Amino acid sequence: MQRLLFTPLKALLGSPCPRLLVPRVAPRTQCGCSCGIRRPLRPGQYSTISNVALQPGRGTVSLPSKAAERAVGRWLLVCSGTVAGAVILGGVTRLTESGLSMVDWHLIKEMKPPTSQEEWEAEFQKYQQFPEFKILNHDMTLAEFKFIWYMEYSHRMWGRLVGLAYILPAAYFWKKGWLTRGLKGRVLALCGLVCFQGLLGWYMVKSGLEEKPDSHDIPRVSQYRLAAHLGSALVLYCASLWTSLSLLLPQHKLPETCQLLRLRRFAHGTAGLVFLTALSGAFVAGLDAGLVYNSFPKMGESWIPEDLFSFSPLLRNVFENPTMVQFDHRVLVGLGISTLLTYVPTPLAAAHQSGSLALLSAALWLMNELRRVPK
């Protein structure tokens, strides 16, 4: 019976695909009637099949194996690493005040940097038409402009690399049939979030290029848009890392004890706190609030600065008052004290941001280890 069923099926569907282990059907003993009795299977008695028919005459579907799951898990782990690199590079771009050097956005056209002196001068002239040059960098040389331009260029090109790292393998795995129905939804969401990230990044940059009449403040991007840009990148990072760990790490069938429940709540709380702290850091960067007070544990001569609630209405202070924004961030985090005391040097600030990603990764790993096993 096994030979009659699977030999034609294998000949019909002989394309290579991941194979699954299934129990081999034991031969029936003849009993003089139309039924038979199966002999017990011995341990390790398995056969392999490539495809399983869903319905007669309705086609077949490739079922992903453990090897396919590991391949998808490693791909998403690499993707989460590229997102982490984009977050760190974006922080360095912000710290070097390079984010407003490229004043337009083209998906394909801007991939080629200027090569001749004429092209560089034309790019520099475009930059000179915007507030950052007029107010902050009016004495900038072409050589100095090239540095900040290449910083922003590297950040944008890395973003395109992240997009390709998600979309191209996703299409390949989808075509190979290595994605389950649930994974297909997650992968579509991740690829959509990558595209949204690019649009949100340009929307953020535009806020720093807008002319503000009767204002001589240093041009900067909107802290709200910066926080949204960073927040969506962290969501993309966490979702990719969580999915990859779920595919690569075995499920531990731990007993549901009170200690385990407390540890699980601790892991979730830690991840949420790190995420909130990172978002508060985006408001610090957007308002240049890190330079307001450079003393610890006091802020200036006081524990509670006098201008903590100087904005009206009161809620504006949380998001727009540089003093309150720094106060909130230093309350949430203890990792950045050395960064504050040394007036935010770029390498140390980048390490500070990398540390938050490492802490978030550790919390996600612990959450994944303690995840509930479906019954």
Side-chain angles (χ1 to χ4, degrees):
M1 185 64 183
Q2 178 191 11
R3 192 173 299 169
L4 291 175
L5 176 61
F6 290 116
T7 302
L9 183 61
K10 186 175 181 180
L12 180 63
L13 305 171
S15 58
C17 67
R19 303 194 297 172
L20 293 177
L21 291 176
V22 299
R24 177 179 295 159
V25 179
R28 300 176 184 268
T29 59
Q30 298 300 322
C31 61
C33 61
S34 59
C35 63
I37 301 174
R38 299 177 187 272
R39 292 200 299 267
L41 292 173
R42 298 189 304 274
Q45 190 174 359
Y46 292 99
S47 65
T48 59
I49 62 174
S50 297
N51 296 285
V52 178
L54 290 179
Q55 295 178 3
R58 297 292 297 274
T60 60
V61 61
S62 298
L63 298 180
S65 66
K66 290 296 182 183
E69 285 188 356
R70 287 194 296 271
V72 174
R74 293 189 187 104
W75 160 56
L76 290 176
L77 188 62
V78 171
C79 286
S80 64
T82 62
V83 176
V87 171
I88 296 171
L89 184 56
V92 174
T93 302
R94 171 65 190 168
L95 290 165
T96 55
E97 297 182 346
S98 306
L100 300 178
S101 57
M102 298 180 70
V103 296
D104 47 20
W105 189 87
H106 302 284
L107 183 61
I108 303 298
K109 181 180 177 181
E110 71 178 22
M111 293 178 66
K112 176 182 175 297
T115 55
S116 65
Q117 183 70 15
E118 293 75 13
E119 290 178 348
W120 273 114
E121 289 178 354
E123 193 71 24
F124 192 27
Q125 288 175 2
K126 286 194 295 183
Y127 173 70
Q128 293 173 1
Q129 307 304 312
F130 289 88
E132 185 174 73
F133 177 84
K134 296 177 181 178
I135 298 175
L136 183 64
N137 294 331
H138 50 83
D139 56 349
M140 175 176 279
T141 65
L142 180 59
E144 293 170 335
F145 170 72
K146 287 182 179 181
F147 171 76
I148 64 171
W149 192 93
Y150 271 121
M151 286 298 303
E152 174 64 9
Y153 174 77
S154 62
H155 182 51
R156 295 194 187 189
M157 292 304 295
W158 188 270
R160 285 166 172 78
L161 177 64
V162 172
L164 292 177
Y166 275 91
I167 295 173
L168 294 183
Y172 173 78
F173 291 138
W174 194 299
K175 184 177 180 181
K176 294 286 287 185
W178 290 6
L179 303 177
T180 63
R181 179 177 298 180
L183 269 178
K184 286 181 178 179
R186 290 192 184 188
V187 167
L188 281 177
L190 291 174
C191 291
L193 189 54
V194 168
C195 298
F196 175 73
Q197 267 292 98
L199 296 175
L200 189 57
W202 173 241
Y203 180 65
M204 175 192 69
V205 169
K206 282 187 64 177
S207 65
L209 299 176
E210 297 171 353
E211 294 278 356
K212 298 177 181 178
D214 303 324
S215 175
H216 298 283
D217 290 340
I218 296 175
R220 56 173 67 96
V221 300
S222 165
Q223 68 271 25
Y224 296 102
R225 300 185 191 184
L226 178 59
H229 187 50
L230 176 62
S232 60
L234 292 177
V235 169
L236 178 63
Y237 173 75
C238 292
S240 303
L241 183 59
W242 175 267
T243 305
S244 69
L245 292 177
S246 300
L247 294 172
L248 294 174
L249 297 181
Q251 292 184 340
H252 297 287
K253 297 181 179 180
L254 302 174
E256 291 287 337
T257 63
C258 293
Q259 292 84 353
L260 179 65
L261 291 175
R262 282 197 294 267
L263 184 58
R264 186 178 289 149
R265 294 191 191 101
F266 169 78
H268 283 77
T270 301
L273 182 62
V274 174
F275 188 87
L276 182 62
T277 304
L279 285 186
S280 73
F283 282 92
V284 172
L287 292 171
D288 287 334
L291 302 177
V292 177
Y293 290 97
N294 295 94
S295 57
F296 186 85
K298 291 184 177 181
M299 298 179 70
E301 300 297 327
S302 307
W303 291 99
I304 306 296
E306 296 180 355
D307 56 343
L308 199 63
F309 300 99
S310 59
F311 284 31
S312 181
L314 195 63
L315 187 60
R316 279 187 60 204
N317 291 278
V318 179
F319 305 105
E320 300 181 12
N321 183 349
T323 300
M324 172 66 87
V325 166
Q326 190 195 117
F327 180 82
D328 292 340
H329 189 62
R330 65 163 62 198
V331 166
L332 286 169
V333 64
L335 297 174
I337 302 307
S338 57
T339 306
L340 268 175
L341 296 176
T342 51
Y343 287 83
V344 201
T346 298
L348 191 57
H352 173 54
Q353 193 162 2
S354 304
S356 66
L357 281 174
L359 186 57
L360 185 59
S361 302
L364 286 172
W365 172 82
L366 182 58
M367 289 166 57
N368 195 280
E369 284 287 309
L370 302 176
R371 69 188 186 275
R372 293 183 183 273
V373 179
K375 297 181 180 179

